[in-house]
Each structure stands twice: as structure tokens, then as C-alpha cells.
Amino acid sequence: MITIDGVTKIRGRTRILHEVSFTARPGRVTGFLGPNGAGKTSTLRVLLGLDRPQAGTALIDGRRYADHDRPLTVAGALLDGSGAHRSRSARAHLRWVAASNGLPRARVEEVLDLVGLSADAGKRAGRFSLGMGRRLGLATALLGDPPVLILDEPVNGLDPAGIRWMRTFLRDSAATGRTVLLSSHLMGELAETADDVVIIDRGRVVAAGTLAEVVGEHATLEDAFLDRTASEGVSW
Amino acid sequence: MTGPRRVAGAVHAEAIKLITLPSLALTVALTWALTALLGLTGRPGGVLVYTQVGFLVLGVLAATHEYQGGGQIRASLLAVPRRPLLAVAKIVALAGIAAPFALVAAVLAGRPGATGGLLLDLVLAAGVGMLVKHSVGATGLVLTAYEIVSPLVRTHLPEVARLPSSAWTAAVLLVAIAIFARREA
């Protein structure tokens, strides 16, 4: 369960998040949708304790991410990039991450297998393709077998087979009771994957609810999205 | 996980990072080779000053590799979100792993008693690396301080130069940890 309540973030003189509030519930995929620069990544960074908000709270199972004793067993995160140093092997990267939270070494081989990287585990991360880097990032997120997954644009850089794999994986994760929160600017992708949708625009949540509620009278999620985010008009 | 286990996990993770990074092993090997070669030439005044440069570079790289391509610093902060703990774990792991390598280097330089001094230089450089984040900038800063500023201070302000090097190291580390703990990554 993710509970974000009144989060405001100011960077320099710009208010990039304005009292952002929403929840993501167990057993459901929550899509966090917004144009580029709307505040999706900023919200996820606050949720994960990478940035500090000026006001509000962002909690995972009732506590801030950083206040959990073994955070990797509470929430797994996939952010931009693999998170591995380019000259370290995928296996060595996962080994240090596992050690940091007292996870068994055998778990490293399990997650490598899970994301299909076992054969490339000895390769340096710098030699990975974009898609392999995403898989390594996902393997890192899954090390602690966390009940909560937080993913920033997870299908970026994936080929069609990779996108289908990710979609199935996220659906299955929710079906087994996990809380899945993923950000995206790809409406079609989210409409296929999400149970609930939160739309953010210029730092404010402009819509939140089940997919059906957010789509409402509109023909598609895309129409609903454009109707709610373009009212004051970025024109193309 | 209780407190001691959390600390042990953080230090263990940092140790694995250090021993699986090729550039650090290369820096140690080059420092040893240079020290041994220069030792053969019998330079007056000894070769320790060159060994010291190697350990300064080693300390900088150990800290700044977090910020090189791939975004590892975010993985580190997600794994160990308590930043003072993460910073201290880095220093403890670095000093612990480097100790035998520093001893060998000091012996090669003909000055086994200098081992502790090399380790202080190493962790001071790591503190600067943590502050500056960029390898080249941090290396330049540390070498300027050691090779230009420090001799000037010794000549013109001998009372300042009498401060033990452990005091300098402690001061740099305290500032580095304090800033690392507050910074957004």
C-alpha cells in the first residue's frame, strides 16, 4: 500500500509538486500518467526518499521508505538506467545490493533467471543494451521479493517482446497481491495494464480513480488524458 | 534487521563494490609497480611521495565511481537509505580493504611505518571525492592540496602545518558525511 498525502516539492523557485495525494492499493496495477515534466519522476523520487519534500508525506505500508529496516524487502524500484556501474558485471552488481539488505546470495541467481539474464550475468553492465539494462534494473528491484513495486517508465527502451513480457509480469505481480505503481506517458500501454489511473499535470493530480472512472464519458484513456491536461493549452 | 546487522550489511555491500571494480585493482597494481621501480633507482628522499599519490587517486576513485555512468548512487541510496550509515560504511570498508595493500606499498617504499599515513591520505581523498563527485575534479583538488598548498603552508605557516594529518582527515570526513547526508541525489 502506497499512501501519498499532500506532497509539495519546490526546487529553486519552481513548485514542481503541488499537494500531490493519491494511493496505490495491493493487488492492483496503478498507472501514474502525465506529460513529460509533469512531476511523475519527482513524485517517485520523494516516495523513495531520494528527494525531500517541503510538505506532505509519502508512505509505503505506513512508514517512509527510508524508515524501513530492510527497505529492499518492502519495495523494489526501477528508475532510469540500470543502477549498475558500467564496469561491474551484472552478477557483482546484484551481489552487493543483496549483501546490503542481508539477502542470501542464492537470490542473485534466482532474479537473474527470472529476468532472463543468467547467460549474460558475467558481462559488464556497460556492454548491455538498453533492454538488458532495464532487465538488470528489474532484477535489482526484485532481489528482496518486495510486496510493492515502483517503476518509472518501465517499458522505455524495450522491444515489443520485452513490452509484452513486462506487461504480463506486472499483471501477474498484481494478481499475486503486490502493489504495483508505474509511471508512463504512453496511454495505450497503460490502458492495457492498469486497474487504477492517476493523472498528474504541472505538479497537480488532475484525475484519480479506476480506469473506467477516469475514462468516463471519453472514448479512450487518451481522450480523457488530453481533455484533462491540455485545457490551458500546449498547442502542437 | 537489528542495528548491528544493518551496519554489517552496509559495510559488506561497500566491500563488494570495492573489490569488484577493475579500476581500483588497476590503481593499486600501478602504485605498487611505480613504487618498486622508483625504489630500484634509489631516489634521494625516498619514493613514498609517489606512493602517496597512488593512494590519493585510489581514495578519490573509490568514492566518485558512485557517480559515474549507470546511476549507481541511486541504487546505493535505495539499498541503504540512511545516508550517514552509507557514508560511514564506505569509509570503514575502504580503510579495511585497503589496509593490507597500503602495508605492501609502504614496505615496497622502504617505509613500513608509513602504512597508517597512507590510509589517512586514502580516506581523506575519499571524503573529497564524496564532496566533489567528479573523479577528475576531485583528483585535481587533492593533488593541488598535497603537492602545492601543503608545502607552501609548511614553509610559511609552520604552526598550522604541525596539526597532525589525522586531524585534517577527520575534518574533511565530517564535512563530507554531513553534506552527503543532506544532499539530494
Side-chain angles (χ1 to χ4, degrees), chain A residues 61 65 68-76 101 103 141 143-148:
Chain A
D61 292 341
Y65 177 81
H68 287 279
D69 272 352
R70 299 165 79 200
L72 298 182
T73 65
V74 177
N101 277 233
L103 302 168
L143 267 176
D145 195 15
V148 174

Side-chain angles (χ1 to χ4, degrees), chain A residues 9 11 45 48-52 65-72 77 79-80 82-88 92-93 95-96 99-101 124, chain B residues 1 5-6 9-10 12-13 16-18 20-22 65 68-72 74-83 181-185:
Chain A
K9 173 76 193 165
R11 183 166 290 141
R45 289 176 57 89
L48 293 164
L50 294 173
D51 288 349
R52 264 182 293 267
Y65 177 81
D67 291 339
H68 287 279
D69 272 352
R70 299 165 79 200
L72 298 182
L79 301 175
D80 187 31
S82 69
H85 189 275
R86 57 177 178 252
S87 66
R88 215 190 300 283
H93 172 72
R95 268 187 60 206
W96 79 250
S100 70
N101 277 233
R124 292 185 180 193
Chain B
M1 194 152 62
R5 276 190 60 201
R6 190 187 303 143
H12 186 194
I16 295 172
K17 282 185 198 170
L18 295 173
T20 58
L21 197 69
H65 91 270
Q68 292 166 353
Q72 184 183 276
R74 286 196 309 246
S76 298
L77 288 170
L78 291 177
V80 183
R82 292 176 197 217
R83 298 181 187 203
R182 297 185 54 84
R183 185 157 62 196
E184 303 204 319

Side-chain angles (χ1 to χ4, degrees), chain B:
Chain B
M1 194 152 62
T2 53
R5 276 190 60 201
R6 190 187 303 143
V7 175
V11 173
H12 186 194
E14 291 304 317
I16 295 172
K17 282 185 198 170
L18 295 173
I19 55 185
T20 58
L21 197 69
S23 61
L24 299 186
L26 187 66
T27 306
V28 169
L30 286 174
T31 303
W32 281 356
L34 186 72
T35 303
L37 280 173
L38 289 174
L40 291 177
T41 66
R43 293 177 64 88
V47 299
L48 193 67
V49 60
Y50 300 98
T51 316
Q52 184 185 48
V53 169
F55 274 78
L56 292 173
V57 172
L58 187 67
V60 165
L61 289 180
T64 56
H65 91 270
E66 285 278 8
Y67 300 94
Q68 292 166 353
Q72 184 183 276
I73 184 66
R74 286 196 309 246
S76 298
L77 288 170
L78 291 177
V80 183
R82 292 176 197 217
R83 298 181 187 203
L85 169 61
L86 179 60
V88 170
K90 285 180 175 302
I91 300 300
V92 170
L94 178 61
I97 288 191
F101 297 101
L103 175 62
V104 171
V107 168
L108 287 172
R111 299 267 304 279
T115 307
L118 286 176
L119 287 174
L120 285 175
D121 297 334
L122 173 81
V123 295
L124 183 147
V128 174
M130 224 184 267
L131 282 171
V132 178
K133 299 201 262 186
H134 297 283
S135 319
V136 177
T139 306
L141 192 62
V142 167
L143 291 184
T144 306
Y146 269 75
E147 309 306 331
I148 297 172
V149 178
S150 167
L152 283 175
V153 169
R154 266 199 296 274
T155 312
H156 299 290
L157 297 166
E159 59 281 2
V160 175
R162 268 199 294 273
L163 277 173
S165 55
S166 54
W168 290 108
T169 299
V172 169
L173 286 183
L174 283 176
V175 172
I177 292 170
I179 290 184
F180 183 77
R182 297 185 54 84
R183 185 157 62 196
E184 303 204 319

Side-chain angles (χ1 to χ4, degrees), chain A residues 5 11 46 67 80 89 132 139 158 199 215 217-218 228 232:
Chain A
D5 187 17
R11 183 166 290 141
V46 166
D67 291 339
D80 187 31
S89 73
M132 288 163 79
L158 296 185
I199 299 180
V215 173
E217 311 276 285
H218 301 86
R228 286 185 166 102
E232 289 166 42

